[in-house]
Amino acid sequence: MSTEPTLTDLSAAVLARGGELRAGGTDTTARQRSGVSPGPFTDLGGAGELRGCTPLPGGGLRIGALTTLAALAADPQVRAGWPALALAAGTAATPQIRAAGTLGGNLLQRNRCWYYRNPHVSCLQKGGTGCPAREGDHHFGVVSGDGPCVAPHPSTLAMALLTYDAEAEVHGESPRSVADLYGDGEGLHRADHLLPPDRILTAVRLPTPLPGERAACHRATSRAHAEWPLVEAAVRLAFDGATVTHAAVAAGGVARVPLRLKEVEAALIGREATPGILAAAAATVLARCRPLPQTGYKARLFSGTVLEALERAAGPAAAG
């Protein structure tokens, strides 16, 4: 009779063999096929404790790291209590990837820079001495931040989770904020996340739902289907009449890490959600922008994507 491996067993296997942990395999398989990540891979699929949603005392929710994006998008309790997360999960990637890709895998995936993904090209992400994208083709690169690598962070779910101040559980450690998985994005050879190879992300913890919140996600892409976003935004709003009483806004595709946009939130709270106020709030992100030679277009796209998400979330509460 076979037994499931414990998380301690899986962590020890990575330490002993090297390589990486593997969840749904949508990213690791692509990197293995290209020759960027040869493995070996230690599969997490047998760890049943990493799956599913469990209510927490006080009204929060614990979501296992192996829960698929499709399951998140369809879960009634996630859709009702944490709609920004459900929306983000339902718009990420393609139906096929959402069926296999997991919460943990989405949070800890690697960037999509074509220089990093090419096994014949040296770059900082692979221990090299420079970022070839800086002097080469970087029109999908960052528009915010001054780190040495210019590849935007790829996680849609991390962006949404930032708006909930969600916590990440790591086996053998105390819970930490999801933002702490990424830090500030600086550091010469730092990867797309800060979790050591043998550490297992077990779950994400969501706080008590905000009654009456309105949420929206919007992504700008270069084509309608099966495309990574150029810029994306997640918005959560609560109202008293037309006045915004709570705002949480985050963006992806613009920096080395997902960004919480506190300046947008501050420009909204206590004000009526008029078209002018929403537009002025979205425009505050322009102060963050430090475009590269080929990413100047992303500054305007950044502001426009945030505005579209704000308008969708505000809906009929917006005056005028």
Side-chain angles (χ1 to χ4, degrees):
M1 179 177 178
S2 62
T3 58
E4 290 183 353
T6 68
L7 298 183
T8 299
D9 292 338
L10 294 167
S11 180
V14 175
L15 278 177
R17 301 169 60 211
E20 299 180 53
L21 293 161
R22 178 164 55 193
T26 58
D27 180 30
T28 51
T29 300
R31 288 188 278 114
Q32 183 183 30
R33 186 182 301 118
S34 71
V36 172
S37 300
F41 296 101
T42 299
D43 287 302
L44 293 169
E49 61 191 288
L50 300 183
R51 300 183 185 279
C53 300
T54 306
L56 293 172
L61 188 69
R62 180 185 185 274
I63 306 174
L66 288 185
T67 304
T68 66
L69 275 61
L72 275 179
D75 191 299
Q77 59 188 331
V78 178
R79 292 166 64 95
W82 300 272
L85 179 59
L87 289 168
T91 58
T94 64
Q96 294 87 349
I97 290 178
R98 291 194 293 271
T102 65
L103 168 62
N106 188 273
L107 296 181
L108 303 180
Q109 66 185 298
R110 301 306 304 270
N111 70 78
R112 259 62 196 177
C113 175
W114 37 56
Y115 296 102
Y116 166 69
R117 296 272 167 168
N118 187 329
H120 306 295
V121 175
S122 173
C123 78
L124 293 170
Q125 291 286 302
K126 294 179 285 190
T129 58
C131 175
R134 276 193 176 274
E135 303 301 324
D137 188 342
H138 57 256
H139 66 273
F140 290 157
V142 300
V143 72
S144 177
D146 299 315
C149 175
V150 301
H153 198 276
S155 178
T156 294
L157 296 193
M159 172 192 70
L161 290 168
L162 290 185
T163 69
Y164 289 103
D165 294 312
E167 290 186 326
E169 289 184 11
V170 176
H171 178 58
E173 300 180 7
S174 299
R176 65 181 78 180
S177 72
V178 167
D180 286 343
L181 293 174
Y182 309 111
D184 60 9
E186 303 299 321
L188 188 60
H189 294 288
R190 62 145 292 160
D192 299 291
H193 61 82
L194 302 179
L195 209 61
D198 64 309
R199 291 299 185 183
I200 300 174
L201 177 67
T202 57
V204 164
R205 289 173 170 256
L206 291 163
T208 304
L210 180 66
E213 81 166 61
R214 300 180 183 184
C217 291
H218 181 61
R219 50 175 34 202
T221 61
S222 59
R223 61 182 180 180
H225 300 291
E227 184 66 279
W228 293 96
L230 301 170
V231 180
E232 57 186 341
V235 171
R236 299 174 56 228
L237 299 176
F239 294 89
D240 181 1
T243 301
V244 179
T245 57
H246 178 87
V249 185
V254 294
R256 282 292 295 138
V257 296
L259 297 178
R260 180 77 180 265
L261 304 177
K262 295 287 189 178
E263 67 273 29
V264 178
E265 299 167 7
L268 292 169
I269 295 173
R271 296 177 171 86
E272 290 194 358
T274 64
I277 290 296
L278 296 181
T284 62
V285 304
L286 295 174
R288 287 180 177 264
C289 294
R290 301 290 186 273
L292 300 166
Q294 297 171 14
T295 63
Y297 75 96
K298 271 197 173 186
R300 185 172 64 254
L301 191 60
F302 187 5
S303 177
T305 301
V306 171
L307 178 57
E308 178 68 25
L310 289 174
E311 290 174 340
R312 291 186 184 184

